[in-house]
Amino acid sequence: MSVWPAWEVREGERATRWLHVRLEFADGARIDALATVCDGGVRVEDVQARPALTLEDLAVFADWIEGPLARASAGPGSGDAAGTGAHRDDGSVRPRGPEAWRFVARTYREAQERGADPVLAVMDETGCSRRGALRLIGRTRDAGLLSPRHARR
């Protein structure tokens, strides 16, 4: 994933930044977006994808870019200066669908075995926000790869 600045508008001490985001997949698919970062929030202004994204893919895309956009919006010297996901430096693309659920299940279980917080482990491995990681974990449970969170009586 690549993130680079488009432009910035300042009003007093408040700044709104627009950032270009690009994801390129091994199969030739590509997603380009323009997002704004203002007052701690991220808004996707425009998305162009080839092939087209489904609504579910668009929601996953928002989760993928949340962390890298937050780091890039913090400005130079704030850690992730290149704008790529800090947790996925190898240039690989995050898996999707059933492959992603298996990855999440494996990450979740390994963290449990180590006595670590499994949600934080999924966040760290995927670069997703807490909400995004919980959504992935929920989908993984729905797919039957993790046991239900609470046994119903």
Side-chain angles (χ1 to χ4, degrees):
M1 175 184 328
S2 302
V3 178
W4 66 96
W7 64 89
E8 180 176 318
V9 175
R10 292 196 169 275
E11 294 180 42
E13 292 186 25
R14 182 177 167 195
T16 301
R17 298 183 72 193
W18 280 264
L19 301 162
H20 291 286
V21 180
R22 175 172 289 162
L23 274 82
E24 294 182 285
F25 299 87
D27 64 358
R30 188 168 102 181
I31 303 170
D32 290 302
L34 180 66
T36 62
V37 180
C38 179
D39 295 331
V42 174
R43 291 185 184 94
V44 177
E45 298 277 334
D46 182 48
V47 176
Q48 296 179 5
R50 287 182 185 85
L53 296 174
T54 65
L55 288 176
E56 184 174 301
D57 289 339
L58 190 57
V60 172
F61 171 72
D63 291 338
W64 285 0
I65 67 172
E66 186 175 11
L69 279 178
R71 287 187 293 276
S73 71
S78 62
D80 196 7
T84 58
H87 306 291
R88 307 286 297 178
D89 292 329
D90 59 0
S92 64
V93 175
R94 246 187 273 163
R96 296 166 53 164
E99 187 179 328
W101 301 329
R102 286 189 290 276
F103 176 76
V104 168
R106 184 175 55 250
T107 301
Y108 190 96
R109 282 193 211 98
E110 287 172 358
Q112 279 184 322
E113 290 169 6
R114 290 191 320 266
D117 183 337
V119 176
L120 289 177
V122 171
M123 289 170 62
D124 187 49
E125 288 299 316
T126 63
C128 287
S129 66
R130 183 168 187 80
R131 188 181 86 218
L134 289 170
R135 185 179 301 132
L136 280 172
I137 292 167
R139 289 180 182 151
T140 303
R141 288 186 198 288
D142 292 345
L145 298 172
L146 289 173
S147 61
R149 180 158 169 71
H150 299 291
R152 294 188 177 141
R153 296 179 192 192

